[in-house]
Amino acid sequence: MVLPYSRQFIDDGDIKAVTDVLRSDFITQGPKIEEFETALAEYCGAAHAVIFSSGTAALHAACEVAGVGAGDEIVTTPLTFVATANVSLYVGAKPVFIDVECDTGNIDANLIEHAITPCTKAIIPVHFAGHPAAMEQVFDLAQKQGLVIIEDACHALGARYLLSRAKEHRGGERAEWVRIGKCALSDMTVFSFHPVKHITTGEGGAVLTNDKSYYDRLLMFRTHGITRTEFTREPDGPWYYEMHLLGFNYRMTDLQAALGISQLRKIERFIERRREIAGIYNRKFHSNPFFDVPAEKDYAYSAYHLYPIRLKEGYAVKKAAIVSELRRRGLGVQVHYIPVYLQPFYQQLGYEKALCPVSEAFYRSEISIPIYPAMNDDEVCFVTETLVRVFEDFA
Ligand SMILES: *Cc1c(COP(=O)(O)O)cnc(C)c1O
């Protein structure tokens, strides 16, 4: 038995959705694109969704339409996939790395203000492992400084955030849970549909927003910067189109969108199962001597994209051997993440080592153990038993 840290869940309905499109007139840019966008926007509670060929393309598009460019700075965290920082470089901006909270791995909102300069244009918080970042604090700061917020929610489809200020708005009423993707405290939210994420389209991503002008530009950016509706000149004829900005071919196919629609119908079940598994792990591993389990703050309803355990000191130093042994015994554990600025490419750009000590300590101690909706109870049991046995051997 080899259990990966995450994997897709595909059923017959998903397969039929894709084959139906194969038999139809459009295999790309047909009706499924908009249908998926409408379903996604509705699920999250946002006004608009624009789907892209990948989460990375979606992040790139969000930076571009936010008006971030050469000489600007984007504040983010190093405890993420390299794509989060790379998109800053795509648009000519500099990623500025802020350290994380030691328990959630999310951006430490208390450190942001200190890092803001006249060049700062945007903040990209990452909802690490599916646990929402401290968005109210990030939002207040961004408001004060006039910064754009782009949520990297590639881990967090299905997560929710407790909006405490709903209380004030409604004269003492109960605080309100809002979905990540509603953009209640941000300008845009980005998702990925890679097979390890909550729902998959093979490759794919999306930007959600409530801003019509971002929406229009996202649509153009996805397809070479071309528009067929808004013209600056008198059309030459019915074939006419205009290019207004330098876009890309970042389109998703109808085959993929059909899969996305079918997957999205199962999202609640997927999240419930992930949370159920997390609940079992939390109980089994409660105050064990080897590692800490992930925190869930009062304001967070995590989507548990990952279940990141953090090894206690005596075990963190043996992590490489522990990971090898876990893999040998059939647990396809993974590590999230090597802090981005430690990558050779970023080192060569001049980022200092030890820039974010909490992120580095997190990296040294973290292991992501299997968690995905297709896991059955026997497999969950196999994970807990194997983990305990391996750690006892290393004690
Ligand atoms: C997966 C992921 C991305 C990139 O998404 P792709 O669809 O693989 O391009 C970006 N940021 C984070 C945090 C991710 O986990």
Side-chain angles (χ1 to χ4, degrees):
M1 177 149 53
V2 177
L3 303 179
Y5 78 92
S6 184
R7 64 160 288 154
Q8 71 275 18
F9 178 103
I10 300 284
D11 64 15
D12 289 345
D14 294 325
I15 293 167
K16 182 169 187 306
V18 175
T19 53
D20 284 352
V21 173
L22 272 171
R23 293 196 178 87
S24 76
D25 292 333
F26 300 97
I27 58 174
T28 191
Q29 298 308 104
K32 294 297 173 191
I33 301 293
E34 219 177 294
E35 201 181 318
F36 185 27
E37 287 174 340
T38 305
L40 198 60
E42 205 165 277
Y43 172 72
C44 292
H48 311 285
V50 180
I51 53 178
F52 286 87
S53 51
S54 71
T56 306
L59 275 169
H60 181 193
C63 289
E64 176 73 29
V65 305
V68 183
D72 294 337
E73 292 175 358
I74 299 184
V75 168
T76 188
T77 78
L79 198 72
T80 183
F81 185 53
V82 292
T84 316
N86 290 353
V87 296
S88 301
L89 300 175
Y90 290 177
V91 298
K94 178 185 169 196
V96 173
F97 297 105
I98 303 284
D99 216 345
V100 299
E101 300 169 343
C102 62
D103 51 353
T104 63
N106 282 327
I107 194 162
D108 185 339
N110 297 318
L111 302 178
I112 299 176
E113 191 151 24
H114 184 66
I116 289 171
T117 75
C119 297
T120 312
K121 282 285 149 55
I123 305 179
I124 309 185
V126 179
H127 305 308
F128 182 83
H131 185 294
M135 289 304 296
E136 285 189 341
Q137 252 180 296
V138 173
F139 181 79
D140 287 344
L141 260 165
Q143 287 288 92
K144 209 164 75 183
Q145 310 273 357
L147 308 177
V148 176
I149 303 176
I150 300 166
E151 295 174 70
D152 181 339
C154 290
H155 294 187
L157 182 64
R160 288 178 227 171
Y161 188 91
L162 188 66
L163 208 58
S164 69
R165 56 169 67 83
K167 255 189 281 189
E168 298 146 36
H169 288 167
R170 302 195 191 162
E173 239 182 78
R174 276 200 16 232
E176 180 191 359
W177 286 95
V178 294
R179 271 212 179 101
I180 294 294
K182 187 180 167 73
C183 303
L185 297 168
S186 69
D187 298 279
M188 287 176 268
T189 303
V190 173
F191 294 113
S192 164
F193 309 125
H194 182 277
V196 298
K197 309 292 164 69
H198 295 87
I199 65 169
T200 191
T201 58
E203 297 282 354
V207 182
L208 279 82
T209 186
N210 296 314
D211 183 312
K212 177 72 165 61
S213 78
Y214 285 149
Y215 173 65
D216 290 339
R217 287 168 60 79
L218 288 165
L219 284 175
M220 272 198 274
F221 189 73
R222 177 174 72 184
T223 186
H224 311 280
I226 286 173
T227 172
R228 293 177 184 277
T229 51
E230 306 286 328
F231 301 139
T232 60
R233 298 197 302 243
E234 196 57 36
D236 301 336
W239 60 84
Y240 190 71
Y241 57 89
E242 282 182 2
M243 179 184 143
H244 288 183
L245 51 91
L246 190 61
F248 287 74
N249 177 354
Y250 273 167
R251 296 186 301 255
M252 180 186 273
T253 66
D254 260 40
L255 301 172
Q256 294 169 290
L259 179 55
I261 295 161
S262 179
Q263 288 264 299
L264 189 61
R265 290 197 192 108
K266 296 186 269 281
I267 183 73
E268 286 308 294
R269 255 204 289 146
F270 286 172
I271 301 298
E272 272 167 31
R273 181 60 181 156
R274 281 177 182 275
R275 290 186 57 86
E276 211 170 79
I277 296 167
I280 296 170
Y281 288 162
N282 287 345
R283 281 192 299 279
K284 289 267 181 201
F285 299 140
H286 178 66
S287 64
N288 78 78
F290 314 117
F291 54 82
D292 294 316
V293 298
E296 191 174 38
K297 305 234 165 164
D298 292 345
Y299 59 76
Y301 178 90
S302 176
Y304 284 102
H305 162 58
L306 303 173
Y307 191 87
I309 63 171
R310 287 167 290 123
L311 309 191
K312 292 186 191 286
E313 245 177 57
Y315 296 91
V317 292
K318 303 178 202 163
K319 186 164 106 167
I322 291 170
V323 166
S324 297
E325 183 58 16
L326 289 169
R327 286 188 176 171
R328 202 183 64 75
R329 297 213 195 183
L331 297 193
V333 296
Q334 190 50 276
V335 170
H336 296 93
Y337 288 97
I338 302 169
V340 173
Y341 62 80
L342 290 180
Q343 292 294 346
F345 179 82
Y346 280 88
Q347 283 292 295
Q348 156 233 299
L349 292 180
Y351 288 94
E352 280 170 40
K353 292 204 174 87
L355 182 61
C356 300
V358 181
S359 300
E360 293 189 19
F362 198 101
Y363 163 59
R364 280 196 298 274
S365 66
E366 197 269 355
I367 299 177
S368 300
I369 65 172
I371 188 166
Y372 49 94
M375 273 177 96
N376 62 36
D377 290 344
D378 287 345
E379 290 168 329
V380 175
C381 205
F382 175 72
V383 173
T384 56
E385 282 171 9
T386 307
L387 261 182
V388 169
R389 222 169 285 141
V390 168
F391 274 98
E392 277 168 359
D393 286 351
F394 277 90

